Structures are given as structure tokens and as C-alpha cells.
Amino acid sequence: MKRSNKNAAMGFIFITMTIDVIGWGLIIPVMPSLISELKHIPIKETSRWGGYLISVFAIMQLLFSPLMGNLSDRFGRRPVLLISLLAFCIDYVILALAHNYSLLMLGRILAGITGASFTAATAYIADISTPETRAKNFGLIGAAFGLGFVIGPALGGLLSVWGLRAPFYAAAVLCFINFLYGYFILPESLKPENRRPLEWKKANPVGAFMHFKKYPAISGLVIAFVFIYLAAHAVQSNWSYFTMYKFNWTEKEVGFSLALVGILVAVVQGGLIRVVNPLLGNAKSAYLGLVLYGIGLALFAFASQSWMMYAFLVPYCLGGIAQPALQSIITENVPANEQGQLQGGLTSIMSATSIIGPYIMTSLFYYAVSDGSRFYFPGAPFLLGAFLMFISAILAWLFLSRKNIYK
């Protein structure tokens, strides 16, 4: 692919991921209130049920992401990405029409089965990146996440004044527009000579995990990713419930706070990483980022006033320099014709941790604020997340210093 075409393709992937995240961000502020309405329970009890929705989505992704990754190695990234976008559109329509909790669950199951946009997008980036541009290009995913989170939650909070269902309809429309955009504009990134036959023994979670044994140079980093993904659910699965309960935030306030997250992530991964990564290198960028993640989570745990949650977002979001650096190291150690399988495997790890991560964090929050708890500490999930982030930093340091992959 020519340089101009690569730049255009990266632009499309950036826009695609941004719209995808906007759709996801739209529904976050209203989900606690929607669950409360459907289950007829107070906000503080909705966290467990929200955790179940995230977990069932993750179970489906765990089972089907390796298949979608392998399909993208066989047929190309474009069709897999388009199928994923269309499935998310249908999912949001189901969520908008849901009149009971079971339909919410059905929508998440469907989206989890075919929702491989992250797998296909990261494999696409690996296809068109050079060793020099790989970390920078992976950083664009974080920037897209950030920009989408600026727009999505804020818009979701504003749309909630028209009802709890309005953000779901808006998300469905955005996903369909994204699908049409991709259908008419997106070029294929995987060259025919880099495609390989579909191997069913690799197109399953066990095969995806066993695939990592083929590359011992990255095994320690994969384990570090497990702890990173688990720790992240202290925020991803718990933010709305924690802030609504402890600080009495409304859907609008939750949306605006997540919009700030988006701004900070976009600044860090869309701009700062382009300065920090060349200066420090991948390994040091990863160490620094993981430590900052841990510090931010620890500060959230002990926040006693609303403004502190905003202030402590700064060190937490600065930690975003870690993941593109780690992902760059991993992809450089895997052949071009196995990038889809690699990304499917990494998505499977993310899905596996998303099965237990939301359950652990939301259940810990529920226990920490329930009347029968032996201790009252709403920030307990954040403190656990900080501990896990520090473990991942130690693992990454031990492995990279021993293997001498990157200095």
C-alpha cells in the first residue's frame, strides 16, 4: 500500500474507531438508571447487574474473537470489520426497545458474538505499519477512544433528558452510518500473499491462548496485559455506579466526567505519546505508564469530594502511554500473516478478563457499600485496580529486562 493510501487508511480507521466509541459512550451514563428502572432496585444495587451484562458480552467475545481474527487472516480485515459494525447497530436497537433485563442480555450476547471491531482494527493497523510507525499508529486507537469519549458520554448525558432510551437510538444510527462509511470507502489492508487458510484448531479460545506459546519472547507481556485489563475494570465497570452513589452525580454529570476522560486520553495517545515514546523508547514508556495508571487508581479510591475525581484523572490518563508501547513490542515479534490471529488472541485475553473483571469490581463495590458489609469503603475496586497495575508494571520490567527485547 502506497504511503498516501496508508495515511488515508489510518484516517478511516481513526474515524471508524471514534464513531464506534461514541456509540459505546452514549449509553454509559444511562445504563445504571435503565437497570434500576427494569429491575426496580436502587442505584447502589445495579452495579452487579451491570457487571453481568459486561461479563456475558465478554464471554461471547472470548468464544468468538479467535474465529473472527482467523477469518480476517483468511478473507481480509474489511469484511470482518463491517460485520462487526452492523452487529453493534442491531445490538443498540435491541437495547433501545428492551422492556426487561433479559432483552438487555440478548443484545449484549449478539454484540459479543460478532463484535470484533477492535480485533480487525488493530490487525489492520499492524498490516499497514512499519516498525518506526507502529507505536504511533497504535496510539491513534487510544486517541480515537479519547475523542469518542469526549463526544459520546457528554452527548449521552444530554440526550437522557429525552428519556433513557434516546442514547441507544442515537448509538444505533451512528453505528449504521459508520457501517455505510466503511462499506463504500474502506480499502482492504491484507495482501493476498499474506493470507492463510482458516485453521479451525486455532479459531477457538484454547487455540488462541496456545498460539502465544509459539512466541516465548512475548509471553511475559501477555501476562502483564491480563493484569492491566483486570485493573482497568475498576474504572470501566464501576465509574458510573461509584460516582452516582458516593457523590450523587446525575447522568449528565457522569457523561461530562467521561468526556473529560476522552479529552485527556486523546491528548495523551494522540499527541503526547508521539513525543514521549521516541524519547523513552517502548519499554520505559510502558513502565512509566503502568505506574501512573496505578497512582491514578489509588487516588480515586480515597477521593472524598467530586472535584478530586476530575483532578485524579490526570495521572490515570497519563498512564495511557503504556499500552501502545506494549502492543508495539508484541506485534514486532509476530509475522505479518499471523497478525489477525495475534489480535484475536489479545482480544480473547481482554474478553477473558472482562468475564471476571466486571464481576469482581462491581461485586466488591456492592459488598463495600451494602448494609451487611464488615467494612464500608466505596473506593475498594479502585484500590484493587491499583494493586493489579503495579503488579503488571513489575512483570513487564522483569520480563523486558531479562529478555532485553527493548531498552
Side-chain angles (χ1 to χ4, degrees), residues 141-157:
I141 293 181
F145 179 90
L147 182 59
F149 244 56
V150 173
I151 302 170
L155 185 58

Side-chain angles (χ1 to χ4, degrees), residues 34-293:
L34 180 60
I35 295 173
S36 176
E37 176 186 293
L38 295 178
K39 298 294 293 182
H40 308 292
I41 55 178
I43 287 291
K44 74 175 185 178
E45 295 180 16
T46 60
S47 61
R48 286 192 303 169
W49 299 100
Y52 296 152
L53 291 176
I54 299 172
S55 292
V56 75
F57 175 83
I59 290 171
M60 294 300 104
Q61 281 221 313
L62 173 65
L63 295 175
F64 289 94
S65 285
L67 174 61
M68 302 300 275
N70 277 266
L71 286 172
S72 78
D73 281 341
R74 172 64 182 89
F75 299 105
R77 319 301 184 199
R78 183 177 182 272
V80 173
L81 187 57
L82 293 178
I83 290 171
S84 173
L85 293 173
L86 190 59
F88 272 118
C89 175
I90 297 171
D91 167 45
Y92 290 133
V93 172
I94 293 174
L95 296 180
L97 298 174
H99 59 273
N100 58 48
Y101 182 81
S102 297
L103 283 177
L104 294 184
M105 188 71 73
L106 175 63
R108 292 287 79 191
I109 289 172
L110 173 65
I113 291 173
T114 55
S117 59
F118 183 81
T119 299
T122 50
Y124 196 108
I125 290 172
D127 291 339
I128 64 174
S129 297
T130 64
E132 294 76 21
T133 63
R134 189 165 277 119
K136 178 181 71 174
N137 288 345
F138 276 121
L140 282 178
I141 293 181
F145 179 90
L147 182 59
F149 244 56
V150 173
I151 302 170
L155 185 58
L158 291 172
L159 289 174
S160 67
V161 301
W162 282 283
L164 296 177
R165 314 294 176 130
F168 295 97
Y169 287 113
V173 171
L174 276 175
C175 278
F176 189 66
I177 292 172
N178 202 8
F179 167 79
L180 293 177
Y181 183 35
Y183 183 82
F184 289 108
I185 295 177
L186 181 67
E188 179 55 62
S189 65
L190 187 62
K191 298 177 182 178
E193 61 268 25
N194 286 334
R195 301 186 186 190
R196 61 180 178 83
L198 179 64
E199 299 179 60
W200 288 102
K201 66 179 181 180
K202 297 180 180 179
N204 60 80
V206 176
F209 294 142
M210 294 299 290
H211 177 68
F212 292 121
K213 292 178 64 177
K214 187 176 177 181
Y215 302 102
I218 64 172
S219 59
L221 299 183
V222 171
I223 296 172
F225 263 114
V226 171
F227 287 99
I228 293 169
Y229 290 146
L230 283 173
H233 279 285
V235 173
Q236 294 175 9
S237 303
N238 206 54
W239 183 269
S240 299
Y241 306 104
F242 175 82
T243 54
M244 283 183 166
Y245 172 75
K246 185 165 185 178
F247 302 116
N248 294 315
W249 284 8
T250 64
E251 290 86 359
K252 185 182 294 186
E253 288 172 306
V254 171
F256 287 151
S257 70
L258 292 175
L260 178 59
V261 172
I263 293 171
L264 293 172
V265 170
V267 169
V268 171
Q269 298 205 11
L272 186 62
I273 194 172
R274 295 168 180 262
V275 178
V276 173
N277 190 268
L279 288 175
L280 299 182
N282 283 324
K284 291 180 180 179
S285 295
Y287 306 150
L288 177 60
L290 293 173
V291 170
L292 287 169
Y293 267 143

